[in-house]
Amino acid sequence: MHVQTMHIPDGFINGPVSLVAMVIAALGIVICLRGARKQLDERTAPMAGLVAVFIFAMQMLNFPVAAGTSGHLLGGALAAILVGPYAGALAVSVVILVQGLLFADGGLSAIGLNIINMGLVTAVVGWFVFRWTIRAIGVSKPKVFFAAFLAGLIAVPVSSLAFVLEYAIGGTGTIGWPTVMVAMTGVHILIGIGEGLITALTVAAVFLARPDLVYGVRDLLPKQVLVVEPAKGVA
Amino acid sequence: MPSPHTHGHDVGERLLVHRHTAIHRLPAEVKTVAMVSFILIVVFTPPEQFWAFGVYALMLAAVARAALIPAKIILPRMLVEVPFVLFAVLMPFFGTGDTVEVFGITMYTAGLLAAWNILIKGTLGVVASILLAATTPARDLLLGLERLRVPTLLVQIAAFMLRYMHVVTDEMGRMKLARDARGFTATGIRSWPVIAQSAGALFIRSYERGERVHLAMLSRGYTGRLPRLDNAVTLRSDWVKSMMLPAGALIVAVTATVVQP
């Protein structure tokens, strides 16, 4: 069994809340567009596009757990750590938008809800958890691993809490939101452990090979200065 | 009926069913607005008005028929709903309030209605999304979004994602082939570091590809804007034709809300 990302379908959350979510998601995307443009200027489109493809590909990568079950990454925290919160949230939101519009994954009326939960919330939470942790403990491979693990671990259950909030306000189901919260949080803490491990292993791999490509630590790395010295002993 | 065929379309089309019908020819932005409005109207319809959903289903069936999209293409795609179906199926058994006997099993009325609400609206929504994606090429959908004043930058990012989707997933496939060739089999959590190592390499390669693509674009005169190659005109009659679907649905929904039992 492969545990798939759960995109909310149409009708699960009522109309008014779905509409409000679309407005909030649109605002969030506009903020991310501005932030990403400030960071990447005219490189934004190709760079964020390629990061979106990377996240899309990561979601197809199977991580076997045990006894025939496997899971995959959501990617919000990973994207935020690697390319920054704005470009990261933007990339994951574009993935969800394309999945909803082109592949019929998740309801079209629920696209705002899905973008908030899986794109914006995971990226923002993942980013802040990573930054606070790394600033507190410093930069080295095990520390980057630990901070990235925490980011993935916390981002996923918080994202499920965003879903519970939407369900509590506009859910059409008759199961009470406290029950849904207990079930969702429980399951998502387990999923979060997986997400945290995959995020940490991937970030650590990038950090070892190209630390300058890990946006979350770039400003904390020792400055590398190119010094050109006159050749010695050359006639 | 013409057989499904593809000629010269973009990559990244998983759902497009290439046919030559009036629905396929409608401009993308018109269809997108029509389908999203239709789904929103369905979501707003009170669930106890069962007849209304019958009418909606017939409307979608008429669109599917006009677009020559057979049921065997639509049905398998509806599997994406399954996790929520499970949730819906549980509701009639856990709840409070009035109960009703169905085939000798006691179920809660409110739970049954809520389950019906989720199942029928989710199903109509999936079918509507499938019809949109099956009748509109991916590239046109994005151009349509641009004509709907969705920020150009967002549309460009999505366009890059579609354009490079196969390049990057193929690269991932080659990395898997290389792992397999070295005798690697993913067995459990212990093999995660190996897979994550590939994932890290994939990120670096994707990022560097983004930089190269950007430089290549700069050398061809890119200034932050992509040239618009399409000069398709959207006619008022296209809007009128497309909006017949949500307009019909709106009449049904208003009637269903006004004459509540």
Side-chain angles (χ1 to χ4, degrees):
Chain A
M1 191 184 107
H2 182 65
V3 181
Q4 267 293 337
T5 324
M6 288 206 261
H7 299 251
I8 302 172
D10 295 300
F12 202 81
I13 305 287
N14 69 22
V17 174
S18 304
L19 278 181
V20 171
M22 278 189 201
V23 174
I24 297 176
L27 282 178
I29 287 181
V30 168
I31 294 172
C32 290
L33 282 170
R34 284 208 187 137
R37 209 178 339 219
K38 212 171 272 175
Q39 174 196 333
L40 292 165
D41 51 70
E42 96 292 340
R43 289 186 306 155
T44 308
M47 296 313 295
L50 264 298
V51 175
V53 178
F54 166 70
I55 295 297
F56 178 81
M58 278 297 284
Q59 291 187 352
M60 300 187 350
L61 201 54
N62 267 343
F63 283 82
V65 181
T69 58
S70 63
H72 73 103
L73 193 79
L74 288 169
L78 178 66
I81 295 169
L82 290 177
V83 294
Y86 296 118
L90 203 53
V92 186
S93 300
V94 167
V95 170
I96 295 160
L97 187 74
V98 167
Q99 284 171 335
L101 211 52
L102 269 53
F103 305 150
D105 284 340
L108 282 180
S109 72
I111 207 153
L113 300 161
N114 285 323
I115 287 179
I116 292 175
N117 297 351
M118 292 188 287
L120 305 178
V121 171
T122 53
V124 170
V125 172
W127 171 256
F128 281 112
V129 171
F130 182 81
R131 284 296 286 183
W132 286 334
T133 315
I134 208 78
R135 278 218 200 106
I137 60 178
V139 180
S140 71
K141 192 208 159 192
K143 286 170 183 172
V144 167
F145 182 94
F146 175 71
F149 174 74
L150 274 190
L153 174 72
I154 295 172
V156 173
V158 172
S159 152
S160 81
L161 285 180
F163 167 79
V164 173
L165 180 70
E166 290 149 6
Y167 182 84
I169 305 172
T172 56
T174 48
I175 297 177
W177 69 264
T179 318
V180 172
M181 184 164 87
V182 171
M184 285 295 280
T185 322
V187 171
H188 282 84
I189 286 174
L190 289 180
I191 298 178
I193 295 173
E195 177 93 6
L197 270 178
I198 301 172
T199 305
L201 288 165
T202 309
V203 172
V206 177
F207 180 76
L208 276 188
R210 287 283 304 271
D212 57 309
L213 288 194
V214 182
Y215 187 83
V217 300
R218 196 179 294 169
D219 58 328
L220 305 172
L221 292 174
K223 272 245 160 63
Q224 289 188 316
V225 188
L226 180 69
V227 181
V228 182
E229 289 180 1
K232 283 170 201 156
V234 180
Chain B
M1 192 160 86
S3 63
H5 57 288
T6 52
H7 42 75
H9 273 295
D10 249 335
V11 288
E13 325 254 22
R14 282 214 213 144
L15 289 180
L16 183 72
V17 182
H18 193 97
R19 300 278 157 79
H20 297 277
T21 72
I23 302 214
H24 283 76
R25 274 192 297 273
L26 280 174
E29 76 272 26
V30 173
K31 272 186 276 187
T32 309
V33 171
M35 276 306 180
V36 173
S37 338
F38 174 81
I39 293 171
L40 277 171
I41 292 165
V42 170
V43 169
F44 271 97
T45 308
E48 56 275 10
Q49 299 285 43
F50 302 112
W51 62 272
F53 297 95
V55 179
Y56 295 146
L58 285 177
M59 293 168 88
L60 286 183
V63 174
R65 210 184 144 72
L68 303 175
I69 311 287
K72 71 165 192 270
I73 289 179
I74 299 174
L75 291 176
R77 289 293 314 179
M78 287 161 59
L79 285 176
V80 294
E81 272 193 284
V82 165
F84 288 89
V85 170
L86 291 178
F87 182 87
V89 166
L90 286 177
M91 279 194 298
F93 302 101
F94 301 93
T96 47
D98 298 338
T99 55
V100 63
E101 292 251 329
V102 182
F103 304 117
I105 307 161
T106 315
M107 291 196 238
Y108 294 96
T109 329
L112 265 181
L113 189 65
W116 152 258
N117 178 55
I118 290 173
L119 290 181
I120 189 65
K121 288 178 181 174
T123 307
L124 289 170
V126 172
V127 173
S129 316
I130 293 170
L131 285 175
L132 175 63
T135 59
T136 324
R139 210 179 66 89
D140 293 5
L141 266 175
L142 294 181
L143 285 175
L145 287 185
E146 199 166 7
R147 273 183 240 128
L148 291 174
R149 304 284 168 86
V150 170
T152 317
L153 190 56
L154 188 70
V155 177
Q156 280 188 29
I157 296 172
F160 273 103
M161 178 184 159
L162 283 181
R163 195 166 302 152
Y164 287 94
M165 193 177 277
H166 287 271
V167 176
V168 173
T169 49
D170 283 356
E171 182 142 44
M172 196 169 74
R174 286 192 296 276
M175 290 163 103
K176 183 182 178 330
L177 193 65
R179 286 198 302 268
D180 293 348
R182 289 166 176 77
F184 172 78
T185 32
T187 45
I189 294 181
R190 255 190 242 169
S191 43
W192 284 18
V194 179
I195 306 175
Q197 195 73 38
S198 303
L202 190 70
F203 170 75
I204 295 172
R205 290 180 189 180
S206 304
Y207 194 94
E208 289 176 342
R209 187 184 297 278
E211 289 177 328
R212 288 198 303 280
V213 167
H214 171 243
L215 290 177
M217 286 161 64
L218 279 185
S219 71
R220 288 164 178 78
Y222 177 69
T223 53
R225 239 162 229 296
L226 289 182
R228 288 272 295 274
L229 295 176
D230 72 305
N231 41 14
V233 186
T234 305
L235 303 171
R236 181 166 298 196
S237 62
D238 292 331
W239 280 105
V240 173
K241 267 185 254 169
S242 295
M243 294 316 272
M244 272 160 42
L245 178 77
L250 189 63
I251 294 170
V252 173
V254 170
T255 317
T257 314
V258 173
V259 295
Q260 285 221 43

